[in-house]
């Protein structure tokens, strides 16, 4: 073989090797699976919400993968990584630290449930530049100037602004007069605090409501008797009861029933999904909760019938709370961001969330699949749910309503 032949052979071999190397790189850049995180309470007093958030995430990922995965990444499939954040802010923060340390290839996450937990978790994820979607309500979440948190729900103050006037109109239409006095019983979690702040600073005065009882407890609630005794003594026209732990809600409702204040004796409204959890019926009768309403960020509603049926069949859940439908929607939002980003990279996914404009929302009430400069979903609305015949159904807004609302008449 002459020099030229040797050179050509060497160049041919080298270029062939380079091609093989480039092909290897290309394969590495088109992953077979993409990890997304779900950090929720799966132990302690908030286990129940965490369990149903996991159901929503699993359903979303199953549907996305069955429909071809992430098409911009060659059909790569999503893989759910589940982290238990426990039932205290310290446990939540530690869980977030483990998540970012042990799962460096996560491209996005969702969850946390309580705003108090989400505040702690996102301090960690912000430093790790991991984009996080959350259904948590606290205004503080997106008032900190963070760039990697995206709030799909209306904030607590916004929910109050949207929900309370609607309730007052409903009361006036049904009974011929507006409530004048209100009692407020709440836990001291971040969501409840933010909700109460908006109510006390603006909305009670705006709606002509006088606050006659205000009681705050630290979960778990040990005895609801002193709280309900004060309500009975004050005889308010309206009771706002805001627990975020199922055990607390049960204790409160049991005592309301025991003191003869249920079934519309004092119309009761919440700002929490907890009051409408299926577990409520383990402690109180359908008659006791009849007519109770709650203002929430999301709920299984008109248009979600197929998903609700699947949830019932697969997980034996009697209805679809906001924890299921929102977490399901979060999986589709992550898919949308990955398609837009074109790569499994957390910074690219975060930028996709920031610049996304994906049209009307399908799995969250109101507004667009678009986030403002603070990370709040544009136009996010509320849902009002009411217990009717043993089932909490959507009664507002009209386009999502499964039944007509009624106002329990005070006797």
């Amino acid at each position: 073989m002459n020099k030229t032949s040797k050179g050509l052979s060497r160049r041919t071999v080298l270029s062939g090797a380079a091609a093989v190397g480039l092909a290897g790189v290309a394969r590495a850049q088109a992953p077979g699976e993409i990890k997304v995180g779900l950090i929720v309470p799966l132990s302690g007093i908030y286990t129940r919400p965490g369990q149903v958030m996991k159901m929503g995430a699993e359903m979303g990922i199953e549907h996305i993968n069955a429909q071809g995965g992430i098409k911009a990444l060659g059909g790569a499939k999503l893989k759910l990584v589940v982290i238990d954040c426990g039932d205290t802010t310290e446990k939540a923060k530690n869980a977030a630290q483990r998540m970012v340390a042990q799962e460096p290839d996560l491209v996005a996450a969702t969850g946390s449930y309580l705003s108090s937990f989400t505040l702690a978790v996102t301090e960690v994820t912000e430093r790790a530049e991991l984009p996080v979607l959350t259904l948590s309500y606290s205004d503080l979440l997106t008032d900190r100037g963070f760039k990697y948190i995206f709030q799909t729900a209306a904030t607590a103050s916004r929910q109050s602004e949207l929900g309370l006037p609607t309730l007052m109109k409903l009361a006036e239409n049904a009974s011929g007069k507006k409530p004048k006095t209100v009692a407020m019983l709440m836990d001291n979690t971040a969501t409840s605090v933010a909700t109460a702040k908006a109510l006390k600073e603006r909305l009670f005065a705006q709606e002509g409501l006088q606050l006659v009882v205000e009681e705050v407890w630290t979960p778990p609630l040990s005895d609801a008797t002193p709280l309900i005794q004060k309500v009975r003594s004050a005889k308010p026209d309206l009771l706002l009861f805001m627990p975020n732990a199922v055990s607390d809600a049960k204790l409160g409702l049991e005592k309301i029933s025991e003191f003869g204040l249920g079934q519309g004796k004092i119309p009761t409204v919440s700002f929490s999904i907890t009051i409408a959890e299926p577990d409520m019926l383990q402690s109180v009768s359908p008659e006791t909760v009849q007519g109770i309403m709650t203002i929430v960020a999301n709920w299984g509603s008109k248009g979600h019938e197929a998903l609700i049926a699947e949830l019932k069949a697969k997980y034996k859940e009697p209805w679809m709370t906001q924890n299921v439908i929102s977490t399901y929607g979060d999986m589709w939002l992550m898919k949308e961001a990955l398609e837009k980003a074109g790569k499994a990279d957390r910074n690219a996914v975060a930028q996709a969330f920031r610049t996304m404009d994906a049209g009307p929302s399908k799995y969250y009430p109101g507004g667009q699949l678009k986030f403002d400069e603070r990370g709040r979903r544009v136009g996010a609305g509320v849902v009002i749910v009411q217990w009717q015949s043993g089932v909490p159904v959507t009664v507002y807004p009209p386009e999502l309503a499964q039944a007509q609302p009624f106002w329990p008449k005070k006797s």
Side-chain angles (χ1 to χ4, degrees):
M1 185 181 291
N2 61 34
K3 261 187 186 179
T4 303
S5 299
K6 285 180 181 178
L8 287 171
S9 297
R10 180 176 174 77
R11 282 195 296 273
T12 302
V13 170
L14 287 173
S15 62
V20 171
L22 286 171
V25 170
R27 281 195 298 271
Q29 290 174 343
E33 63 181 23
I34 301 168
K35 290 184 180 179
V36 296
L38 176 72
I39 180 164
V40 291
L42 294 170
S43 57
I45 62 172
Y46 302 107
T47 298
R48 168 71 183 164
Q51 289 173 333
V52 294
M53 290 172 86
K54 183 169 176 282
M55 295 173 194
E58 288 172 347
M59 283 176 62
I61 283 182
E62 182 179 327
H63 292 173
I64 289 165
N65 288 344
Q67 292 178 31
I70 310 302
K71 295 178 175 59
L73 292 170
K77 301 295 191 280
L78 293 183
K79 180 180 180 181
L80 186 66
V81 176
V82 181
I83 300 96
D84 177 12
C85 73
D87 59 357
T88 67
T89 54
E90 189 60 33
K91 289 178 183 176
K93 182 179 179 181
N94 291 339
Q97 289 169 338
R98 288 196 307 276
M99 177 176 71
V100 299
Q102 296 173 8
E103 302 290 345
D105 48 354
L106 284 178
V107 297
T110 186
S112 295
Y113 177 59
L114 274 191
S115 290
S116 306
F117 298 171
T118 309
L119 284 163
V121 165
T122 51
E123 290 284 348
V124 177
T125 54
E126 185 73 11
R127 290 193 296 271
E129 299 182 343
L130 177 67
V132 172
L133 297 169
T134 186
L135 147 72
S136 296
Y137 298 171
S138 174
D139 297 55
L140 289 173
L141 289 163
T142 42
D143 271 343
R144 298 172 294 174
F146 284 10
K147 300 299 183 187
Y148 291 86
I149 182 169
F150 302 90
Q151 201 168 18
T152 59
T155 63
S157 63
R158 184 62 179 153
Q159 288 185 45
S160 302
E161 291 166 2
L162 292 169
L164 187 64
T166 301
L167 285 171
M168 297 294 281
K169 286 175 187 172
L170 177 59
E172 186 173 19
N173 291 340
S175 63
K177 59 181 181 179
K178 291 176 70 173
K180 297 294 184 185
T181 58
V182 60
M184 185 163 63
L185 308 179
M186 53 179 273
D187 65 22
N188 62 356
T189 62
T191 293
S192 297
V193 170
T195 301
K197 184 174 186 290
L199 291 169
K200 291 192 295 182
E201 288 183 356
R202 300 189 307 280
L203 294 164
F204 285 159
Q206 174 187 304
E207 297 298 328
L209 280 170
Q210 179 189 357
L211 182 62
V212 294
V213 175
E214 181 183 6
E215 293 292 325
V216 182
W217 75 87
T218 299
L221 180 62
S222 57
D223 183 8
T225 302
L227 306 178
I228 307 305
Q229 281 176 334
K230 290 182 179 180
V231 173
R232 184 173 66 174
S233 298
K235 298 179 181 177
D237 296 329
L238 178 64
L239 169 61
L240 300 184
F241 179 47
M242 296 186 283
N244 281 287
V246 171
S247 57
D248 291 359
K250 286 180 180 178
L251 281 176
L253 289 181
E254 285 168 356
K255 200 58 64 174
I256 287 169
S257 178
E258 182 184 319
F259 277 67
L261 303 180
Q263 300 182 47
K265 302 292 191 302
I266 295 181
T268 301
V269 173
S270 191
F271 283 84
S272 154
I273 71 151
T274 311
I275 205 81
E277 286 279 7
D279 291 20
M280 292 301 102
L281 295 182
Q282 294 175 3
S283 300
V284 297
S285 68
E287 291 74 27
T288 299
V289 294
Q290 175 75 355
I292 290 178
M293 293 188 221
T294 187
I295 298 165
V296 293
N298 205 351
W299 202 258
S301 304
K302 186 190 293 182
H304 301 145
E305 289 83 0
L307 286 175
I308 294 169
E310 183 177 341
L311 181 74
K312 287 180 178 179
K314 189 169 185 176
Y315 295 102
K316 312 305 178 191
E317 287 292 305
W319 52 79
M320 180 171 271
T321 70
Q322 74 172 13
N323 287 324
V324 182
I325 189 66
S326 285
T327 312
Y328 178 86
D330 288 353
M331 298 301 111
W332 285 96
L333 260 181
M334 290 178 186
K335 170 183 162 55
E336 182 73 26
L338 281 161
E339 298 285 9
K340 182 176 172 63
K343 54 183 175 180
D345 173 83
R346 61 178 58 172
N347 270 294
V349 169
Q351 184 60 16
F353 283 136
R354 293 182 199 115
T355 57
M356 179 183 293
D357 189 356
S361 166
K362 186 176 179 182
Y363 302 119
Y364 317 96
Q368 305 292 306
L369 295 180
K370 179 179 181 180
F371 296 95
D372 67 16
E373 67 282 355
R374 286 187 289 186
R376 294 177 178 175
R377 190 170 65 81
V378 174
V382 295
V383 174
I384 298 177
V385 173
Q386 184 175 44
W387 278 98
Q388 296 187 6
S389 304
V391 178
V393 294
T394 299
V395 295
Y396 177 89
E399 65 270 18
L400 297 178
Q402 301 161 307
Q404 289 295 313
F406 68 91
W407 187 257
K409 292 184 180 177
K410 183 181 174 183
S411 58

